[in-house]
Amino acid sequence: MKLFCNSSSSSILLLIFFLFFSLSSSSNPDFETLLQFKKSSDPFNQTLVSWSNSSSSDPCSWVGITCNNERTRITQLVLENQNLTGSIQALTQLTDLRKLSLKNNNLSIPIGFSFSSWRNMKLLYLSRNQFSGKFPSGVSKLHRLHRIDLSYNQFTGEIPLAELIQLPNLLTVRLEMNSFTGSLTGIESLGFTSLIEFNVSRNNLEGQIPEIFSSFQDSSFVGNKNLCGKPLLNDCGGGSQSGGLNDPIPVLVPPRPKKVKKLSKKSLILITVSYVFLTVLMGFVGFLLCTKKFSKNGNQSNGKKSNEKKKMKSSGFEGKEEEGKMVLFNGCLDLSVDDLLKSSAELLGKGSFGTTYKVMMNNGVLVVVKRIRERKKKEIDGFLEEIGGLRHKNLSSLRGYYSSREELLLVYDYFSNGSLYSLLHGNRGLGRTPLDWVTRLRFASGVAEGLAFLHVANECRLSHGNLTSANVVIDRESNACVADAALCHIFVAPANVANNGYKAPELMHNAHNYRKLSQKCDVYSFGVVLLEILTGKMALHEGETSLAKWVQCVRREEWASEVFDFEIPRDKQTEDEMVCVLQIALLCVAQVPNDRPKMSVVCKMIEDVKTKGRISATFVRTADSPPSQLSDVALPTQNTSF
């Protein structure tokens, strides 16, 4: 009997043990959904390697996934630039999703796809994929939706504005670069009261733009040939202006001419002869004057032509198509040599490598053209093609270049929101709208991601070499984009940029010691940019002392009062996050290059601060500069649910 009891107890314990592990693997109902999505989007297990189908696997620890506090449901799925393929239909079963970002992949949707199951969705980013067909149904069910981005896809049909207008919290609608048709009319004037960003450019829309959209910039509607009305310049007609096609043709009754006395035949002959004589005489005198002037200034004509040519060159662009070549990279639209060389150019400033212009092309597209001062290498085509092939949301992409014997012009996108430098340091004082901490942290994360991508892209192992806050531009989506990437390797920068506060210590002794340019130097420069974001001060503090050295000398107890920018409104959580980012910055500006972390590690640390309010123990390490350990500022995990 005792033996039976022992055997029975063992069986029960074994059964409980089995049930426990079975329940643990199925405690998250989204587990099977994620595996189904992985099977279709990453069939060769090249990207989603951490997504394991093991029964003991915890999906909340997988790359790109965030769970709720109970770790029972998926609330965020962020898989950008992963080269994923296949359909996203399986993801509709993730009904607790607050954020879904699948930008820059090759994903698709089936016919009849619907958004209706994502009723908790707040942020929906699906741009730059292979989505086609009509606008998915069910968008009116997403009452918590803040932002939706379906740009750069292949959608057709009409835009369901009548459904979108029902969303009370909608802030952003981005549908540009698709093939949507129809009109924007029929929208109530009281709709879209919360909307701050709306873009339907480069579609096939027609008709008049409703008045509720007139406050947006014209860039939100360009590229729709049959669209008219404000803010576009083309008028829809039908007003009270004169000259319309339906205007009646006025009947003009000429006045009755007065009677004039006729001249005699003799008088007419005399007047004609006098007129002919005077005409011949004036022509002869003019001929003599022109001949004399030409002979007097003949020796100076070549000099004047040369001066005129120099003036043209200083105010715009000069060149002939047959003297050089134009190279365009993927994504550069409607750009020709003739347009580039003859377009009007507005001087933006002079940078480290040359002069920068804002150029309006004939098709209305604004671009930035950088005229290079001096080349370090004669054969640069291969290197420029390498840079031109880089594509990332946090990189200012090289769209093309024009090269001749005497001219080298680099073409980039134009960013109307300016640079990080101007946002941090421009017009400080009364009347200024300062950057809040959330925006600054997003900019810091964007610069880190762009730089990390540059360091590993295409196995090139490139370094930026001249990272500053002035070389960080802000796009229309408020993404921070790194500009002038890798130009230092082929172009000569002036010597006076050596002591600009961003250069790593190993570069300070020789401004042109390009052999020492490395990715560790970029990490140091990024650390200085982080300090600018935190302090609001320039890289050279008070004109002489470098910002990095000044911050390292401030005691930790004085950080909140001395180091952090007084313009940042902050509470306890914000201040804790700022302390974490300051720790990361101090690691980056370490004196010894090998003590600086890789940019990929820096990215993950900043992402931890954004999502958890602390730095994970994985990245805790000892730094030469105070504070000594990142663990000193580790904070409890914050609720990141949207």
Side-chain angles (χ1 to χ4, degrees):
M1 183 70 178
K2 185 177 181 180
L3 181 62
F4 175 78
C5 291
N6 290 338
S7 176
S8 177
S9 300
S10 300
S11 301
I12 292 174
L13 288 175
L14 197 63
L15 179 62
I16 293 174
F17 185 78
F18 174 77
L19 289 175
F20 174 78
F21 278 99
S22 298
L23 289 173
S24 65
S25 64
S26 60
S27 60
N28 192 323
D30 298 331
F31 180 79
E32 293 297 334
T33 298
L34 294 173
L35 291 182
Q36 184 180 352
F37 174 70
K38 176 187 177 180
K39 184 177 180 181
S40 63
S41 63
D42 186 25
F44 301 106
N45 197 30
Q46 296 178 340
T47 301
L48 306 179
V49 180
S50 67
W51 290 28
S52 171
N53 58 2
S54 172
S55 60
S56 61
S57 179
D58 178 16
C60 297
S61 64
W62 294 351
V63 171
I65 291 177
T66 303
C67 295
N68 57 8
N69 290 338
E70 295 77 19
R71 302 177 70 84
T72 56
R73 297 304 302 268
I74 308 300
T75 58
Q76 295 186 45
L77 180 58
V78 180
L79 297 171
E80 301 174 356
N81 305 292
Q82 300 295 327
N83 198 30
L84 300 175
T85 59
S87 172
I88 67 169
Q89 178 64 39
L91 298 180
T92 57
Q93 301 177 50
L94 303 179
T95 55
D96 274 31
L97 274 182
R98 270 70 164 173
K99 177 180 179 180
L100 176 62
S101 184
L102 302 173
K103 299 178 183 177
N104 296 305
N105 284 290
N106 294 302
L107 296 165
S108 60
I109 57 175
I111 298 175
F113 182 81
S114 176
F115 289 145
S116 58
S117 61
W118 289 332
R119 302 198 177 199
N120 293 305
M121 188 71 70
K122 284 194 172 185
L123 306 173
L124 184 57
Y125 302 119
L126 302 176
S127 61
R128 299 181 186 274
N129 277 282
Q130 302 296 324
F131 300 138
S132 59
K134 294 184 178 181
F135 194 105
S137 62
V139 70
S140 61
K141 305 292 184 182
L142 313 186
H143 292 290
R144 303 181 66 185
L145 189 65
H146 289 312
R147 304 184 188 274
I148 180 170
D149 185 355
L150 305 181
S151 60
Y152 291 86
N153 279 291
Q154 301 164 20
F155 285 110
T156 57
E158 297 188 354
I159 300 172
L161 293 176
E163 294 187 53
L164 292 172
I165 203 173
Q166 300 177 32
L167 306 180
N169 302 310
L170 197 59
L171 300 174
T172 297
V173 176
R174 294 201 53 184
L175 305 175
E176 70 267 25
M177 293 299 293
N178 279 282
S179 299
F180 286 114
T181 56
S183 67
L184 301 175
T185 56
I187 303 300
E188 299 177 5
S189 59
L190 299 179
F192 292 128
T193 55
S194 61
L195 201 63
I196 60 175
E197 185 179 14
F198 183 76
N199 196 328
V200 291
S201 61
R202 304 194 182 281
N203 281 281
N204 298 314
L205 301 174
E206 59 185 12
Q208 185 171 0
I209 300 173
E211 185 179 354
I212 58 174
F213 296 136
S214 60
S215 60
F216 292 98
Q217 297 183 356
D218 57 353
S219 58
S220 296
F221 304 96
V222 296
N224 294 279
K225 295 182 180 180
N226 298 319
L227 208 58
C228 60
K230 292 183 179 181
L232 297 178
L233 298 179
N234 52 322
D235 187 19
C236 293
S240 59
Q241 299 177 354
S242 61
L245 295 177
N246 297 323
D247 292 344
I249 300 175
V251 179
L252 300 178
V253 180
R256 183 174 296 177
K258 297 180 179 180
K259 293 184 178 180
V260 182
K261 291 184 179 180
K262 294 182 179 181
L263 295 174
S264 63
K265 188 175 181 180
K266 185 177 180 180
S267 299
L268 289 173
I269 294 174
L270 182 60
I271 292 173
T272 303
V273 171
S274 301
Y275 177 77
V276 172
F277 176 75
L278 289 174
T279 303
V280 173
L281 180 62
M282 291 176 65
F284 181 71
V285 172
F287 174 76
L288 291 178
L289 291 175
C290 290
T291 303
K292 183 177 181 181
K293 185 176 181 179
F294 179 79
S295 61
K296 181 178 180 180
N297 299 326
N299 295 331
Q300 301 176 359
S301 60
N302 292 332
K304 288 185 177 181
K305 290 181 180 179
S306 177
N307 290 335
E308 290 175 359
K309 189 174 182 180
K310 289 180 180 179
K311 290 180 181 179
M312 292 172 61
K313 188 173 183 179
S314 64
S315 61
F317 299 111
E318 179 193 8
K320 296 181 180 179
E321 187 171 352
E322 62 271 12
E323 293 179 353
K325 66 175 181 178
M326 186 79 195
V327 178
L328 302 179
F329 301 117
N330 182 33
C332 190
L333 303 175
D334 302 329
L335 182 61
S336 67
V337 176
D338 189 60
D339 287 343
L340 183 63
L341 299 180
K342 293 183 179 180
S343 298
S344 59
E346 175 186 341
L347 179 65
L348 293 179
K350 294 184 178 180
S352 301
F353 303 106
T355 307
T356 305
Y357 299 88
K358 179 174 73 172
V359 179
M360 172 70 78
M361 308 303 294
N362 291 336
N363 58 3
V365 176
L366 281 171
V367 296
V368 168
V369 177
K370 188 180 295 291
R371 171 181 275 161
I372 300 302
R373 181 186 297 108
E374 184 179 353
R375 313 182 197 189
K376 189 164 59 174
K377 299 179 180 179
K378 292 184 178 180
E379 299 298 331
I380 62 172
D381 290 347
F383 198 87
L384 285 177
E385 289 180 6
E386 197 171 352
I387 298 176
L390 300 178
R391 290 291 181 271
H392 191 273
K393 67 173 184 177
N394 298 114
L395 275 185
S396 175
S397 301
L398 178 64
R399 297 302 185 183
Y401 68 92
Y402 170 77
S403 178
S404 65
R405 291 182 179 179
E406 300 180 355
E407 192 83 279
L408 179 60
L409 307 175
L410 307 182
V411 182
Y412 293 89
D413 291 325
Y414 173 70
F415 295 89
S416 58
N417 289 332
S419 66
L420 179 60
Y421 178 90
S422 63
L423 293 177
L424 289 173
H425 309 304
N427 300 322
R428 291 182 70 91
L430 295 176
R432 164 182 161 87
T433 303
L435 294 176
D436 57 44
W437 173 242
V438 174
T439 302
R440 297 186 192 218
L441 186 57
R442 184 173 69 250
F443 288 163
S445 177
V447 178
E449 289 185 18
L451 206 55
F453 173 80
L454 179 67
H455 284 183
V456 300
N458 300 334
E459 299 183 355
C460 301
R461 299 294 176 183
L462 295 172
S463 61
H464 188 286
N466 189 38
L467 181 68
T468 67
S469 60
N471 280 338
V472 176
V473 291
I474 312 301
D475 67 9
R476 290 182 300 179
E477 299 177 358
S478 293
N479 291 321
C481 302
V482 178
D484 288 358
L487 295 187
C488 62
H489 294 284
I490 49 177
F491 306 127
V492 178
N496 60 3
V497 300
N499 189 23
N500 63 355
Y502 297 95
K503 294 295 181 183
E506 59 267 28
L507 297 176
M508 294 300 294
H509 300 294
N510 188 347
H512 294 295
N513 195 355
Y514 290 99
R515 292 183 179 179
K516 289 188 177 181
L517 279 177
S518 67
Q519 295 182 355
K520 293 294 185 180
C521 297
D522 287 348
V523 176
Y524 184 94
S525 301
F526 175 75
V528 178
V529 173
L530 275 187
L531 294 178
E532 283 186 88
I533 292 173
L534 288 163
T535 66
K537 302 181 186 298
M538 296 185 184
L540 283 179
H541 180 56
E542 296 181 353
E544 297 180 359
T545 306
S546 71
L547 180 60
K549 290 183 178 179
W550 176 77
V551 172
Q552 289 168 341
C553 293
V554 178
R555 292 185 303 174
R556 177 175 176 176
E557 294 77 12
E558 300 174 347
W559 283 357
S561 59
E562 295 293 330
V563 174
F564 297 147
D565 192 349
F566 69 91
E567 287 190 343
I568 304 176
R570 54 184 185 263
D571 51 20
K572 180 63 168 60
Q573 179 179 343
T574 298
E575 191 166 300
D576 288 339
E577 291 178 357
M578 293 171 69
V579 170
C580 288
V581 175
L582 180 55
Q583 293 275 14
I584 299 171
L586 290 174
L587 288 176
C588 293
V589 295
Q591 293 293 305
V592 180
N594 289 337
D595 288 343
R596 302 168 199 156
K598 293 182 179 181
M599 281 308 305
S600 57
V601 176
V602 174
C603 279
K604 294 176 181 177
M605 288 193 289
I606 294 178
E607 187 62 27
D608 270 357
V609 177
K610 287 175 60 180
T611 58
K612 304 176 183 178
R614 63 181 177 85
I615 303 172
S616 297
T618 308
F619 306 113
V620 174
R621 52 163 290 181
T622 301
D624 290 338
S625 55
S628 60
Q629 289 186 342
L630 292 176
S631 57
D632 295 340
V633 292
L635 306 176
T637 303
Q638 303 293 327
N639 184 3
T640 57
S641 299
F642 285 85

